Amino acid sequence: MQPREKLSMMDKIIRELEDITNSQTSVLKKISQLEAENINLGDKFLEKKLPDIHEHIDTSLTETTALLDEYRDVHAKFIKDNKLDEPLPEE
């Protein structure tokens, strides 16, 4: 795979990781909303289960965010190492 093709694939992966992070953030907000609504409802079943789901999603979001940050560094190094930040030579 040529460096520019690889860079294009890396860009796509970054966009998808950002999408996953945004989706997980949305799910976490919804779980938090359910937890808040259950304060008034007082359902013991939800009170027991929702915090576990919240914790799992939060852990996943933390790991995905860390992966995205680290992969951005890999991406930047790849650009620098392959001099892809320089303009293409005119033919």
Side-chain angles (χ1 to χ4, degrees):
M1 185 177 282
Q2 295 294 322
R4 291 223 177 256
E5 291 174 307
K6 188 171 182 179
L7 179 61
S8 178
M9 185 64 72
M10 293 171 90
D11 290 340
K12 182 178 187 268
I13 289 170
I14 287 174
R15 286 191 306 274
E16 289 175 354
L17 285 169
E18 289 170 341
D19 186 46
I20 290 168
T21 300
N22 292 336
S23 296
Q24 289 175 327
T25 300
S26 178
V27 170
L28 195 57
K29 286 178 183 178
K30 288 178 183 188
I31 295 294
S32 295
Q33 183 179 3
L34 290 174
E35 288 174 315
E37 290 171 358
N38 192 49
I39 290 171
N40 292 328
L41 181 61
D43 189 300
K44 295 295 180 191
F45 179 74
L46 293 176
E47 191 176 305
K48 181 180 178 187
K49 296 292 185 175
L50 288 175
D52 292 339
I53 295 170
H54 186 123
E55 183 179 343
H56 289 296
I57 300 297
D58 188 49
T59 299
S60 179
L61 176 59
T62 300
E63 291 175 5
T64 304
T65 302
L67 173 62
L68 177 57
D69 291 342
E70 290 173 30
Y71 196 70
R72 283 182 175 144
D73 292 341
V74 169
H75 179 264
K77 184 178 182 325
F78 180 80
I79 290 171
K80 184 178 178 185
D81 290 350
N82 290 279
K83 300 178 180 162
L84 296 173
D85 52 350
E86 297 174 1
L88 287 172
E90 294 184 25
E91 296 180 14

